[in-house]
Amino acid sequence: MSLFTSSAASAASPSIGSIPASSIPAPTGNGVMTVKVMNGTNGAYSDSQIYWGVLGINPDTGRWSYLDLNGNLQPISTALNDAPGHLTKNGANYANIYHKISDAPWVSLPRITSGRMFLCVGSPCYIKTYDNGFAGPDINNPTDPNLNVYFDFVEFTVDATGYHGNTTRVDGFGFPIQHRLVNKAGNYDKTVGELESETRAGLFSKYANEVPSEFKSLATVQAPYRIVAPIHGSFAAGRENANYFAGYSNLSTQDIFRCDGGASDPRTCAAINRHVYNDSDWNNVSNYYKAAPANYYAKFWHDHSIDRLAYGFAYDDVNNQAAYLEVGDPKGLIIRVAW
C-alpha cells in the first residue's frame, strides 16, 4: 500500500494541545459531549484518507449501533452489510459505518456503552455487522480482510457518571494515537497515548532495538501493518516462546499474557507481567520490568507514552498504570491519528 504524499508533507501536524478548550463546540441533540478526530500524519495521508467509525451499545434501546455524523446512534444489522454504500473486499460485503476526517470537524457523542472507535488509515476497516453485534478485525485469522489495513482503536463508555475511555496496546500497535479529554468546568484537560515526538517508523525502529530477542519478531510477523502483542505471536501455545514464564510462575505463559484462566486475578497477573510477583511491594513502579521474564512488549509502550501510561496488557490498569481517562462532566474528546 503506497502512502499519500502532499505538498504539506514537510509541515508539522498540529499538536493535540493546539485546540483551545474554549473552542470545543457544544453537542447537539442527544449529545453529551463532542468528538474530533485530528490528522497528525504530517502529510502522509490527507483528511479524506483517514477513516473513523464508532460502534457500541445504545443504552436506551440495548441495541448495538453506530454513530452517524448527526450524533445519532443508528442500529446495526446483518442487512447493513448489503445496504447502499456498503464496502466490498475480496468479493464480500461489509457495513460502511465510517466517516472521514474531512467530513466534519466535530461530531456530537451521546451516551454509549462499550463504545469502540475504529481508526483506519488509507482504507476503511472491513467489519461485518449483525442484528446482535459485529465481527471486528481478527489479526489471528489469516484470511481476515483487515490484515493489510492500517488500523487502531480507542475504547470508551459515556454514561450517567461521565466519560471513561482509553487507548490500548493489549492486542497490538497500528500507529501512534493521542487521546485528549476536556471537561465543562475547565479544571480537567488531560492527554494520554504515545508521545507526540514519536513517529510510527521511529517506534518500529526503537522497538527492534530496545526489546529482548524473544520479543523482536512481534514487530515483523505482520509488518508493515502492526506490532502484535505477545499472545498473537511467538508466545502463543505451541510456538517457540510458549513457555516464556516457566520457572517464574506455575501459570501458563498464555494465561499470563492474556490475564486469563489461572492468571485472571488482576493484581496477580499484573505482578507477573511486571516481574514483581516475588516482591513485597507490588505497587513500586520503579521496580517494574527490571528482570526477565517480564512483558517487555508492555514495558516498551510505557517507555514511549505520555506520563509512561499505557495499556500493555489486560490488567495494566492495576496501580493506575494504564492510559485511561475519565471525568464526570465531559465537554470534548479529541483523538489524534499520528504517523
Side-chain angles (χ1 to χ4, degrees):
M1 181 182 297
S2 61
L3 301 186
F4 175 88
T5 302
S6 74
S7 59
S10 60
S13 294
S15 165
I16 195 169
S18 65
I19 298 175
S22 59
S23 72
I24 298 173
T28 59
N30 295 322
V32 173
M33 57 192 297
T34 48
V35 59
K36 180 183 186 66
V37 180
M38 291 180 64
N39 184 344
T41 67
N42 289 310
Y45 290 91
S46 70
D47 287 358
S48 63
Q49 291 179 304
I50 301 177
Y51 302 81
W52 64 276
V54 172
L55 286 166
I57 298 173
N58 183 335
D60 295 329
T61 65
R63 288 285 305 274
W64 280 96
S65 306
Y66 74 93
L67 182 71
D68 69 17
L69 280 178
N70 294 317
N72 299 312
L73 291 175
Q74 303 291 350
I76 62 173
S77 65
T78 303
L80 195 60
N81 297 296
D82 301 311
H86 67 262
L87 305 175
T88 300
K89 186 172 184 179
N90 300 331
N93 293 345
Y94 300 88
N96 187 354
I97 53 92
Y98 303 100
H99 316 298
K100 303 172 184 176
I101 287 181
S102 57
D103 289 341
W106 293 90
V107 176
S108 293
L109 183 63
R111 289 184 181 180
I112 186 170
T113 302
S114 301
R116 179 170 286 194
M117 177 188 286
F118 289 96
L119 303 161
C120 320
V121 175
S123 161
C125 294
Y126 298 90
I127 293 176
K128 283 282 189 182
T129 58
Y130 302 98
D131 295 343
N132 59 352
F134 66 93
D138 180 2
I139 61 175
N140 288 325
N141 180 356
T143 64
D144 190 281
N146 299 289
L147 285 185
N148 61 351
V149 174
Y150 295 103
F151 72 85
D152 221 307
F153 59 88
V154 175
E155 302 170 313
F156 52 78
T157 284
V158 183
D159 59 20
T161 63
Y163 174 92
H164 324 268
N166 57 270
T167 58
T168 175
R169 296 294 164 227
V170 170
D171 288 312
F173 163 81
F175 38 77
I177 298 173
Q178 289 85 40
H179 169 248
R180 179 184 173 196
L181 180 62
V182 179
N183 77 335
K184 293 174 182 174
N187 57 4
Y188 186 101
D189 188 342
K190 295 184 180 180
T191 303
V192 293
E194 283 77 38
L195 294 160
E196 282 196 48
S197 58
E198 303 282 7
T199 65
R200 186 177 191 273
L203 284 169
F204 265 80
S205 177
K206 290 175 181 179
Y207 184 89
N209 290 329
E210 294 177 16
V211 301
S213 58
E214 297 95 332
F215 290 80
K216 292 185 186 300
S217 66
L218 301 178
T220 60
V221 66
Q222 291 193 18
Y225 299 100
R226 63 195 54 85
I227 301 173
V228 301
I231 197 63
H232 300 306
S234 64
F235 299 85
R239 299 289 301 276
E240 56 268 36
N241 293 310
N243 298 313
Y244 177 71
F245 279 103
Y248 185 67
S249 170
N250 59 3
L251 303 177
S252 81
T253 290
Q254 291 72 49
D255 282 353
I256 292 166
F257 279 125
R258 286 189 303 244
C259 292
D260 197 8
S264 60
D265 174 69
R267 293 187 71 249
T268 298
C269 186
I272 298 172
N273 273 274
R274 296 165 178 168
H275 196 93
V276 293
Y277 185 66
N278 296 321
D279 292 13
S280 58
D281 183 2
W282 287 1
N283 291 327
N284 187 348
V285 179
S286 65
N287 284 340
Y288 292 173
Y289 310 108
K290 289 296 187 182
N295 188 339
Y296 289 103
Y297 166 88
K299 177 185 185 299
F300 179 83
W301 299 115
H302 285 281
D303 290 345
H304 296 277
S305 296
I306 298 167
D307 296 327
R308 300 182 66 87
L309 299 176
Y311 245 121
F313 55 90
Y315 287 135
D316 215 356
D317 54 342
V318 170
N319 198 22
N320 302 312
Q321 295 303 295
Y324 178 79
L325 299 176
E326 66 178 351
V327 74
D329 61 334
K331 178 182 183 181
L333 170 67
I334 305 169
I335 305 296
R336 183 176 182 269
V337 175
W339 198 262

